[in-house]
C-alpha cells in the first residue's frame, strides 16, 4: 500500500487520553480507511511526496485523509467546478486533490496564513505539476479575502473551508460573497468529536462551529446539511451547502 493510502490515527489533532474502548474504535476506523484506500486509491507519487514533505517540515498532522481527499476530488468533478477557492492550504495535500478535478482551463486560489506552511505547499504543488493552475496567496484569510473580492473575479464554483475553526462563520460569509447560485461550499471539521453539542465545552473552535451552524440555520441563500464522519482522523464531520440564490 502506498504511503498516501495509509491513513493513520496520528493525523488526528486530538491528543487527549482515551479509554481502551475509544482506542479500539479508533483502531477500527483507521483500519477501515486503510481497507478503502488500498482498494480504491492507486499509488500516487505526488500525493505521497506531499504528505512526506509535510511531515519532514514539521507541519501539523491535520491534512484530510486520502479517502477524504478523493471525496473532495469527486465532488468537484461531479459539480463540474471550473474555479475553486480553498481556505487553509497547509502542505497542499487537499489542494492537489482539488486542482486535479479542474478542467484544463480551470483555476484554484488557495489561502494559507502561515508562511512556512505555504513554502512547503508551493513546493508540493509545483512537484505535482499544478503550478500553473494553483494561485497560492499567503496571509490571514480575513485580509486576503477582501483583496480577492476587490479584484472582481468571476464567482467561484466551489469553496473548501478548512482553516482556523473559530473563524469559520466569517469565512463562510465571505464564501457567500464570492460565489453564485449553484456554487457549493464545503466546510471541514464541524463536529469536533461531538463537542458541537456539549454545553460544557467552551473551546473557541467548537464555539466557532456552533456559530457556523446558527449562521446556516438563519441564512436564506443556502440549502445545507452536515454529515458526521469517522475514520483515521477520528470522529468529526463536514458541511455541504448549496448556494440557492443571490443576495
Amino acid at each position: 500500500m502506498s504511503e498516501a493510502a495509509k491513513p493513520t490515527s496520528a493525523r488526528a489533532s486530538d491528543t487527549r487520553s482515551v479509554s481502551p474502548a475509544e482506542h479500539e474504535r479508533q483502531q477500527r476506523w483507521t483500519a477501515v480507511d486503510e481497507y478503502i484506500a488500498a482498494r480504491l486509491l492507486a499509488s500516487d507519487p505526488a500525493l505521497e511526496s506531499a504528505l512526506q514533505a509535510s511531515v519532514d517540515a514539521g507541519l501539523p498532522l491535520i491534512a484530510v485523509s486520502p479517502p477524504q481527499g478523493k471525496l473532495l476530488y469527486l465532488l468537484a468533478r461531479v459539480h463540474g467546478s471550473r474555479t475553486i477557492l480553498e481556505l487553509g492550504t497547509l502542505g497542499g495535500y487537499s489542494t492537489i486533490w482539488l486542482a486535479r478535478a479542474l478542467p484544463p482551463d480551470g483555476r484554484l486560489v488557495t489561502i494559507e496564513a502561515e508562511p512556512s506552511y505555504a513554502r512547503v505547499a508551493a513546493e508540493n504543488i509545483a512537484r505535482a505539476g499544478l503550478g500553473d493552475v494553483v494561485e497560492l496567496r499567503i496571509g490571514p484569510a480575513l485580509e486576503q479575502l477582501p483583496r480577492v473580492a476587490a479584484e472582481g473575479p468571476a464567482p467561484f464554483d466551489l469553496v473548501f473551508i478548512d482553516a482556523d475553526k473559530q473563524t469559520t462563520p466569517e469565512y463562510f460569509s465571505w464564501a457567500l460573497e464570492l460565489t453564485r447560485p449553484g456554487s457549493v461550499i464545503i466546510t471541514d471539521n464541524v463536529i469536533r468529536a461531538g463537542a458541537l453539542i456539549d454545553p460544557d465545552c467552551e473551546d473557541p473552535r467548537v464555539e466557532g462551529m456552533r456559530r457556523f451552524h446558527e449562521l446556516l440555520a438563519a441564512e436564506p441563500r443556502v440549502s445545507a446539511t452536515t454529515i458526521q464522519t469517522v475514520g483515521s482522523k477520528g470522529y468529526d464531520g463536514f458541511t455541504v451547502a448549496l448556494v440557492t440564490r443571490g443576495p
Side-chain angles (χ1 to χ4, degrees), residues 1-8 11 29-44 48 65-68 70 93 97 232:
M1 187 189 311
S2 71
E3 287 300 315
K6 289 182 180 177
T8 68
R11 286 200 179 93
W29 297 340
T30 299
V32 172
D33 261 5
E34 291 174 350
Y35 177 94
I36 293 167
R39 285 155 181 79
L40 302 181
L41 278 70
S43 177
D44 192 309
E48 294 161 16
S65 69
Q68 290 170 341
K70 183 67 175 288
Y93 184 72
W97 274 112
S232 62

Side-chain angles (χ1 to χ4, degrees), residues 23-196:
H23 179 66
E24 183 177 352
R25 282 196 295 271
Q26 181 60 64
Q27 284 187 314
R28 190 170 186 83
W29 297 340
T30 299
V32 172
D33 261 5
E34 291 174 350
Y35 177 94
I36 293 167
R39 285 155 181 79
L40 302 181
L41 278 70
S43 177
D44 192 309
L47 289 170
E48 294 161 16
S49 177
L51 287 179
Q52 189 59 54
S54 298
V55 170
D56 293 344
L59 271 60
L61 302 177
I62 55 174
V64 299
S65 69
Q68 290 170 341
K70 183 67 175 288
L71 176 63
L72 290 173
Y73 168 85
L74 291 172
L75 289 173
R77 285 289 302 274
V78 168
H79 184 249
S81 301
R82 304 182 72 85
T83 55
I84 296 175
L85 172 65
E86 178 185 48
L87 306 183
T89 316
L90 193 63
Y93 184 72
S94 58
T95 314
I96 294 170
W97 274 112
L98 287 166
R100 285 178 169 178
L102 291 169
D105 60 345
R107 170 174 174 259
L108 187 152
V109 175
T110 184
I111 299 174
E112 174 53 53
E114 175 53 55
S116 63
Y117 298 175
R119 285 193 293 272
V120 175
E123 293 175 359
N124 288 334
I125 291 164
R127 192 180 300 114
L130 296 166
D132 293 336
V133 177
V134 176
E135 178 185 350
L136 174 57
R137 300 194 177 205
I138 304 172
L142 291 183
E143 294 179 7
Q144 293 296 321
L145 287 166
R147 296 171 185 170
V148 172
E151 294 166 6
F156 289 95
D157 297 321
L158 186 148
V159 179
F160 179 46
I161 302 174
D162 193 16
D164 54 301
K165 309 308 169 185
Q166 57 267 38
T167 318
T168 294
E170 289 76 16
Y171 296 153
F172 187 82
S173 294
W174 270 108
L176 279 176
E177 297 302 316
L178 292 165
T179 51
R180 57 168 175 75
S183 295
V184 172
I185 304 171
I186 303 170
T187 306
D188 200 12
N189 306 126
V190 301
I191 298 296
R192 313 301 304 174
L196 180 70

